[in-house]
Amino acid sequence: MQNPLLKPFNTPFGTAPFTEIKEEHFLPAFEQAIVEAKENIQKIESSTDAPTFDNTIVALEHCSDLLGKISSIFFNLNSAETNDEIQKIAQEVSPKLSGLRNDILLNEKLFDKVKAVYDQKEQLTLSTEDSKLLEKSYSDFALNGAALDTEKKEQLRNVDLELSKLSLTFGEHVLAATNAYEMVVDNEADLKGLPDAIKEAASMTAKEKGKEGKWVFTLQYPSYIPFMTYAENQSLREELFRAFGSRCFDGGDNDNQEIVQKLVRLRNEKAQLLGFENYADYVLEKRMAPSPQAVVDFLNDLQQKARPAAEKEVEDVIAYAKANGAEEVQRWDWAFWSEKLKKERFDIDDEALKPYFKLENVLNGVFDVSNKLYGLNFKERTDIQKYHEDVMTYEVTDENGRLISVFYADFFPREGKRGGAWMTSFRGQSFVEGEEQRPHVSIVCNFTKPTETKPSLLTFNEVTTLFHEFGHALHGMLAEGKYESLTGTSVYWDFVELPSQVLENWCYERETLDLFAKHYETGEAIPQEMIDKIKASSTFLEGYQTLRQVSFGLLDMGYHRLADGVVDNVADFEKEAMDSTSLNAMAKVEGVNMSVAFSHIFQGGYAAGYYSYKWAEVLDADAFELFKEKGIFDKATADSFKENVLSRGGIEDPMVLYKRFRGQEPKVDALLRRAGLLN
């Protein structure tokens, strides 16, 4: 029987045939695709024709198209619907992919051909996009060791091989440690303070785990966050907090301390082999931020502006807690008391808001926003194959009926799915042999599942998460270009969060909320009073949250700016790196550690790039001020954002694109104004 991954997908829109694909199809498919890619490379390398843009640069862009198709399906499954077999395949195949990448980028003959085309770029009549592809191809080789001697190339291969295995193992450990823990509660009195919906969800989890009549809480966010926020039982909050904070930090099978040390050391070794002082220098070679020092200065500047507010906020929460009977406030008390203070100060309650944010309504709301801004229409399709029954699938068209994208939405936690929320693609936008391929885009979240009596109701924070990931999705969907490596979200990492973060702003606007915020039982629109409270409370603890994000950015930079890459002790290193942002009133808890589960930087692509969230917040606050000035659904402003940002991908320099949209460079004041941190 033919391998479904190796034949054309005879499915609606050429989508992945998930119901036909079995685990055993992946390895043979990878092997064949790697062989095909190597043959394509060999053809380019051995050609006796003079190197040209088409026979070298474009040929390289498409040399591993089949491999890209298989990889995107496989690695997306490894994040959203993994199992032991898939993880085993990932460990086997990742080093091979890393090896192939090095076979290409360390190939001297190929580099000579690329350089020959690059050296005559002034004489070639290339479009902006073609020029960018040529530049990118040349710098990919130059930045990845094509000019190294044979011995250093071999060293680099070994380092890359090891790095690819380690980051996979890191992620597997975090998932396994998260899934391994459960807190079983058998006395209902211990659930005091928890909303009924959360109790019902915990009862459902217990039932699924064969513990009927009890309540089970896990380290998945929809279970963990509400417990920490509402449960009055302080000792159980402490137990759950310590379990969450000590994942991969307990010396057991899933411990990640040694993996962190190795990843940091090997990244540093790679950077130095390539002629950089440290890994952060290497990474920032392709970023908007000019240097690691500029990033640290940017973070410290934000810290300086946020610290006075943060200190006052922490004092306020502690004073409030003590006035209400608390003897002391530990880390596991923070969410509980800050939620109570927020409720009292703004007369706002996340639980009272949730009935207005039924998941299906919020999803339709973000569809409506996309329609008003960019003319997009979403039609649910039941004939597109899925990798899990929870996934929803849509056909996306524009106002002229042109196919824009296929969209997958996957919203609920399960054992085979890593935590958090992300956007990804099963296929990017490009032209292949003159034929356009429209993108297949997915967002993956971990929201509370519906129960027997209630639909999935989102907290306002989850509403903004959905909008955030959908902003990334729009960046992928609206891509227009020839080359997949330059379209959609293939942009500088500190620019990639602009489309996602800017869309969050719409959640706070009456015009937007009118579209979808309706009580799931009565159909009543969210009262203006509640909207006013959402807005008023939007800067609550903003100083504290800013300091927290800055601390993660500094920790990331700390690891990746080391001159020797040596971390003697992960706990000590983390403490020192985050020391400048710590607040005396909030004591550090022994036995917990963030680094060992910091998947963004040790498994995802945010190494030396976590600052991007704050960097892009400056861009998004500045961009949204223009929308506010012109009208949040102003067509001309939306068209300009679409033309200059969303559809252009990485075809031009991000600052050029931004200035074309905004008419000026971004100003940090817009962010400080929005955060209430500007005196």
Side-chain angles (χ1 to χ4, degrees):
M1 192 176 130
Q2 206 179 351
N3 189 324
L5 290 163
L6 293 172
K7 58 183 185 182
F9 294 166
N10 187 20
T11 49
F13 316 113
T15 48
F18 288 112
T19 54
E20 299 165 39
I21 298 169
K22 305 281 181 279
E23 278 90 347
E24 61 263 26
H25 292 136
F26 281 112
L27 271 181
F30 271 120
E31 278 158 16
Q32 188 165 325
I34 288 170
V35 167
E36 187 180 295
K38 285 181 174 175
E39 285 169 358
N40 291 337
I41 293 299
Q42 179 60 30
K43 273 183 212 159
I44 303 168
E45 190 189 327
S46 60
S47 169
T48 53
D49 297 339
T52 66
F53 179 76
D54 283 328
N55 74 17
T56 304
I57 307 303
V58 176
L60 272 171
E61 170 75 5
H62 291 292
C63 72
S64 53
D65 281 353
L66 174 63
L67 185 59
K69 180 172 88 167
I70 295 162
S71 294
S72 66
I73 292 168
F74 176 77
F75 285 103
N76 281 321
L77 286 179
N78 192 37
S79 290
E81 186 58 12
T82 197
N83 56 40
D84 291 347
E85 186 59 28
I86 285 176
Q87 290 182 5
K88 202 169 131 209
I89 296 165
Q91 287 285 3
E92 189 171 337
V93 92
S94 290
K96 292 179 181 175
L97 296 178
S98 172
L100 176 68
R101 180 178 151 77
N102 280 329
D103 285 345
I104 297 169
L105 295 175
L106 296 176
N107 184 317
E108 220 166 308
K109 287 180 186 167
L110 274 184
F111 183 45
D112 287 345
K113 293 199 170 206
V114 170
K115 190 174 183 306
V117 182
Y118 184 76
D119 286 345
Q120 49 174 321
K121 68 177 189 292
E122 303 307 330
Q123 289 77 53
L124 301 172
T125 50
L126 298 177
S127 68
T128 304
E129 189 172 0
D130 290 347
S131 294
K132 191 67 175 180
L133 185 69
L134 176 55
E135 260 176 57
K136 182 184 177 298
S137 304
Y138 177 78
S139 75
D140 280 350
F141 277 88
L143 276 175
N144 285 284
L148 294 178
D149 63 36
T150 311
E151 190 186 334
K152 283 187 173 170
K153 278 182 180 170
E154 195 50 41
Q155 267 179 275
L156 187 63
R157 280 177 185 279
N158 293 332
V159 167
D160 280 340
L161 199 66
E162 193 62 19
L163 282 171
S164 72
K165 289 180 185 174
L166 285 169
S167 64
L168 272 176
T169 305
F170 182 94
E172 285 167 11
H173 284 179
V174 175
L175 183 64
T178 302
N179 286 338
Y181 177 85
E182 55 184 50
M183 183 171 79
V184 183
V185 177
D186 44 23
N187 181 357
E188 193 167 3
D190 288 332
L191 305 180
K192 195 173 176 208
L194 284 174
D196 289 343
I198 301 304
K199 291 200 278 193
E200 191 181 353
S203 164
M204 213 165 90
T205 305
K207 204 170 172 182
E208 285 164 9
K209 291 177 178 281
K211 297 180 170 70
E212 195 144 3
K214 299 180 192 290
W215 296 266
V216 168
F217 294 89
T218 70
L219 302 181
Q220 301 279 7
Y221 280 128
S223 180
Y224 175 75
I225 302 279
F227 196 92
M228 298 306 295
T229 308
Y230 298 108
E232 291 183 17
N233 188 316
Q234 189 191 28
S235 64
L236 288 183
R237 286 203 309 269
E238 179 180 354
E239 184 183 325
L240 203 59
F241 174 89
R242 287 186 182 279
F244 188 87
S246 62
R247 285 176 305 164
C248 309
F249 190 62
D250 56 3
D253 290 348
N254 295 317
D255 193 284
N256 269 339
Q257 292 174 82
E258 199 180 321
I259 289 178
V260 167
Q261 290 169 313
K262 283 181 180 172
L263 279 166
V264 172
R265 180 178 55 76
L266 287 165
R267 283 171 177 172
N268 187 68
E269 191 180 327
K270 173 176 179 154
Q272 293 189 344
L273 275 170
L274 293 168
F276 294 91
E277 277 188 37
N278 53 54
Y279 193 72
D281 272 320
Y282 165 68
V283 167
L284 293 183
E285 191 70 15
K286 285 193 172 184
R287 295 292 191 267
M288 290 178 81
S291 68
Q293 191 55 51
V295 169
V296 171
D297 291 346
F298 165 73
L299 291 171
N300 282 333
D301 183 45
L302 275 182
Q303 177 181 184
Q304 193 187 337
K305 288 174 171 130
R307 178 170 277 282
E311 286 173 343
K312 180 163 188 333
E313 287 161 1
V314 170
E315 281 167 20
D316 285 356
V317 171
I318 291 173
Y320 174 81
K322 289 187 172 171
N324 284 277
E327 286 177 27
E328 55 180 0
V329 176
Q330 298 283 3
R331 296 249 172 199
W332 49 84
D333 305 319
W334 176 255
F336 179 77
W337 286 113
S338 52
E339 178 63 24
K340 283 201 174 314
L341 176 59
K342 179 180 165 188
K343 191 173 174 180
E344 183 168 301
R345 188 174 286 179
F346 302 99
D347 190 23
I348 191 168
D349 177 5
D350 262 343
E351 285 304 307
L353 288 173
K354 277 167 75 172
Y356 293 95
F357 298 130
K358 182 181 169 184
L359 173 58
E360 292 77 1
N361 293 350
V362 180
L363 185 60
N364 287 329
V366 84
F367 289 168
D368 286 345
V369 169
S370 309
N371 177 267
K372 282 175 169 288
L373 289 170
Y374 310 118
L376 299 180
N377 299 295
F378 294 78
K379 178 185 169 191
E380 187 164 9
R381 297 282 298 240
T382 54
D383 57 343
I384 293 172
Q385 296 181 31
K386 328 166 171 194
Y387 55 86
H388 190 276
E389 59 183 5
D390 285 349
V391 179
M392 295 182 284
T393 49
Y394 297 84
E395 172 187 1
V396 188
T397 53
D398 67 10
E399 52 264 90
N400 303 315
R402 175 194 175 211
L403 177 71
I404 294 298
S405 176
V406 171
F407 174 60
Y408 297 81
D410 178 0
F411 289 127
F412 305 121
R414 49 183 179 266
E415 289 215 341
K417 184 179 185 178
R418 68 178 167 92
W422 64 94
M423 166 268 175
T424 184
S425 296
F426 287 103
R427 181 172 92 180
Q429 185 269 338
S430 66
F431 276 81
V432 180
E433 292 173 356
E435 196 175 311
E436 187 179 22
Q437 291 198 342
R438 290 307 301 169
H440 300 166
V441 169
S442 170
I443 63 172
V444 188
C445 305
N446 281 278
F447 298 147
T448 306
K449 288 174 84 162
T451 64
E452 285 160 10
T453 65
K454 283 190 175 68
S456 176
L457 301 175
L458 305 187
T459 62
F460 185 71
N461 191 33
E462 289 174 325
V463 173
T464 59
T465 296
L466 199 157
F467 270 69
H468 178 103
E469 298 310 333
F470 201 84
H472 282 308
L474 288 171
H475 203 184
M477 288 179 202
L478 291 167
E480 299 288 349
K482 289 193 282 189
Y483 310 116
E484 191 172 339
S485 67
L486 294 178
T487 63
T489 55
S490 300
V491 299
Y492 283 179
W493 210 260
D494 43 13
F495 193 60
V496 81
E497 293 297 335
L498 167 60
S500 56
Q501 289 180 185
V502 81
L503 199 65
E504 291 182 40
N505 290 283
W506 271 262
C507 300
Y508 296 88
E509 302 296 324
R510 165 98 246 176
E511 276 178 88
T512 309
L513 291 166
D514 275 344
L515 298 171
F516 67 88
K518 295 177 172 59
H519 197 288
Y520 80 100
E521 286 173 317
T522 66
E524 170 211 1
I526 190 167
Q528 181 61 45
E529 184 193 355
M530 276 190 167
I531 296 176
D532 294 341
K533 289 171 183 175
I534 288 172
K535 280 190 153 179
S537 64
S538 66
T539 58
F540 180 63
L541 300 187
E542 190 60 41
Y544 174 83
Q545 295 298 354
T546 298
L547 219 55
R548 190 168 174 266
Q549 285 297 99
V550 165
S551 74
F552 297 164
L554 289 173
L555 175 63
D556 170 34
M557 273 292 150
Y559 278 123
H560 295 116
R561 283 178 85 203
L562 285 170
D564 58 1
V566 174
V567 175
D568 291 322
N569 180 295
V570 171
D572 292 347
F573 186 89
E574 176 173 300
K575 186 174 182 302
E576 195 176 325
M578 296 168 99
D579 202 43
S580 70
T581 56
S582 64
L583 295 160
N584 295 334
M586 292 295 283
K588 176 98 175 80
V589 179
E590 289 304 315
V592 304
N593 185 270
M594 178 184 171
S595 300
V596 291
F598 199 173
S599 298
H600 272 78
I601 68 169
F602 292 122
Q603 180 193 7
Y606 280 85
Y610 196 84
Y611 74 91
S612 305
Y613 284 105
K614 277 293 168 201
W615 186 274
E617 260 189 69
V618 172
L619 299 174
D620 100 67
D622 187 70
F624 192 65
E625 284 198 346
L626 184 63
F627 276 101
K628 286 287 279 182
E629 190 187 308
K630 305 285 187 188
I632 65 165
F633 290 115
D634 177 63
K635 203 75 187 85
T637 311
D639 283 347
S640 172
F641 192 71
K642 177 180 162 185
E643 297 307 313
N644 295 310
V645 177
L646 296 176
S647 70
R648 291 299 280 171
I651 291 167
E652 290 181 81
D653 181 89
M655 192 56 85
V656 169
L657 294 175
Y658 187 82
K659 281 161 71 176
R660 204 178 291 150
F661 160 69
R662 190 65 172 96
Q664 62 186 40
E665 289 205 0
K667 295 185 171 71
V668 74
D669 286 9
L671 171 62
L672 299 172
R673 257 194 301 279
R674 186 177 68 188
L677 298 174
L678 204 61
N679 293 327

